[in-house]
Amino acid sequence: MNPLTYDAFASRPELLKKTLAREVYLKNRDKIKIRNEDIAIKNLIHIFDEVLKLSIRKGFHAMTMRNISEATGMSLGSLYSYFQSKEELLEMIQEQGRAMVEQIFMNSGESHVNAWEKLQWNIRMHLYLTELLQPWFYVTHMESQHFSKARRERLIDGEFFIENIFLTCLKEGMTQEIFKIQNPSITVSFLIAMLQDWYLKHWKHKRRGIGVDDYYVELIAWIQAVILPDGRPPVS
C-alpha cells in the first residue's frame, strides 16, 4: 500500500473548510444574523481565510475592522452580521482550528501494530494539519501574548492535548520495549520543537524547496535514530 501523501490528505472530504465553517456557524447561530446557512458558511470561509492572511502581514491585534472590510471586500455592516468585534471573530477562528485538530486526532480511524507505527502516524498527521492550517497555527502562536487569560488557558489546553498524544506514544513504546528513552517528557519537548519549526519557519523551508512530505521523511529518520535501539524499526 502506498503511504499517505499530503495531497491525498488535503483532499479528504472531512477536511473541507466547509465542514468546519458549518460547525462554527451552528455553534454561533444565535450571534450570526444571516439565516441562510449556505450563504453564511460561504462568507465565513472567505472571512476566515482573508483575516488569517491579513494577520500574518499585519498582526491580528494591529488590524482594524476597516482593514478586514478592505481585505474581504465586505462592508462593515455585512461583517457585523457575523460578529460584533474582532475578539468575537478571533474566537470563531480559534474554534475552527480546534475542531480540525480534534477531528483528525480523535477520528483518524487508523490501526497501528505498535507504538512506533502509531508515533509515525501522529507525526504525519500533525505536520499535515499544520501545513493545511499553517496561517491558523502561525497566527495562534504569534498572537497568543495578546490573548485574554481565558483564551490563553484554552490555547495551553490545546497544546497539552497534542503533547499528550505524543507522550502517550512514547510511553507505550517504552512499555513495549521498543523505544530507548530516559525521560519521555523531555523527549516529547524536543519532538514538539521540531514540529513547531515546520509552521513557524514555513518561509525558510519553502525557500529551500522543502515540502511537508520531505520534512516528514527527515524528521522520522532523525527520531528513529534517537529513540530506537540501533536506529532500527521494530519488525511488525
Side-chain angles (χ1 to χ4, degrees):
M1 181 181 295
N2 293 327
L4 178 66
T5 63
Y6 174 71
D7 287 342
F9 171 85
S11 67
R12 288 184 170 190
E14 67 266 26
L15 295 180
L16 292 175
K17 294 177 182 178
K18 186 175 181 180
T19 301
L20 296 177
R22 177 174 284 110
E23 291 182 12
V24 173
Y25 171 76
L26 293 175
K27 187 171 183 179
N28 295 277
R29 192 160 40 186
D30 59 326
K31 301 175 184 177
I32 297 174
K33 298 175 183 178
I34 306 302
R35 293 300 170 229
N36 186 307
E37 183 174 319
D38 290 337
I39 292 176
I41 290 170
K42 179 181 178 181
N43 284 336
L44 281 173
I45 292 171
H46 178 59
I47 292 169
F48 293 163
D49 285 348
E50 293 305 318
V51 167
L52 286 171
K53 292 176 188 176
L54 185 60
S55 295
I56 291 176
R57 298 195 306 269
K58 192 177 183 68
F60 184 87
H61 282 77
M63 73 174 71
T64 65
M65 288 292 291
R66 190 163 298 279
N67 294 147
I68 298 173
S69 174
E70 293 171 354
T72 60
M74 299 172 65
S75 68
L76 289 173
S78 295
L79 290 175
Y80 283 125
S81 297
Y82 293 90
F83 52 89
Q84 294 300 305
S85 65
K86 285 199 313 176
E87 288 66 30
E88 203 170 279
L89 170 60
L90 179 61
E91 181 60 33
M92 289 181 181
I93 292 174
Q94 291 297 305
E95 287 175 9
Q96 185 192 39
R98 284 195 297 267
M100 173 70 85
V101 171
E102 292 175 4
Q103 182 176 344
I104 294 305
F105 279 104
M106 300 299 289
N107 302 302
S108 65
E110 299 293 327
S111 60
H112 310 282
V113 174
N114 53 50
W116 174 237
E117 288 191 0
K118 189 182 207 178
L119 181 61
Q120 291 180 87
W121 173 259
N122 286 327
I123 289 173
R124 189 189 292 273
M125 288 300 98
H126 190 281
L127 287 173
Y128 285 3
L129 268 174
T130 54
E131 175 68 7
L132 189 70
L133 297 177
Q134 192 273 333
W136 181 85
F137 276 91
Y138 181 85
V139 169
T140 296
H141 186 90
M142 300 305 291
E143 293 289 332
S144 60
Q145 61 181 316
H146 301 296
F147 288 178
S148 66
K149 181 179 179 181
R151 188 171 285 122
R152 283 200 303 271
E153 289 177 351
R154 286 198 296 275
L155 178 61
I156 291 171
D157 288 341
E159 291 178 352
F160 275 120
F161 172 80
I162 294 296
E163 184 172 296
N164 284 333
I165 288 173
F166 291 108
L167 186 59
T168 298
C169 285
L170 295 178
K171 289 180 177 179
E172 287 178 2
M174 295 172 69
T175 300
Q176 296 169 7
E177 299 183 347
I178 295 174
F179 300 155
K180 55 170 186 179
I181 299 173
Q182 295 298 318
N183 190 322
S185 295
I186 295 177
T187 301
V188 79
S189 296
F190 294 158
L191 174 57
I192 293 296
M194 297 294 286
L195 291 169
Q196 287 180 336
D197 192 71
W198 174 252
Y199 62 86
L200 292 179
K201 300 294 180 66
H202 199 262
W203 59 269
K204 174 181 67 176
H205 301 300
K206 184 177 181 180
R207 180 178 295 179
R208 292 173 176 171
I210 299 172
V212 65
D213 287 309
D214 302 317
Y215 195 86
Y216 167 77
V217 170
E218 292 299 323
L219 180 54
I220 289 299
W222 171 77
I223 197 167
Q224 178 175 314
V226 170
I227 72 173
L228 294 178
D230 303 320
R232 299 176 181 177
V235 178
S236 300

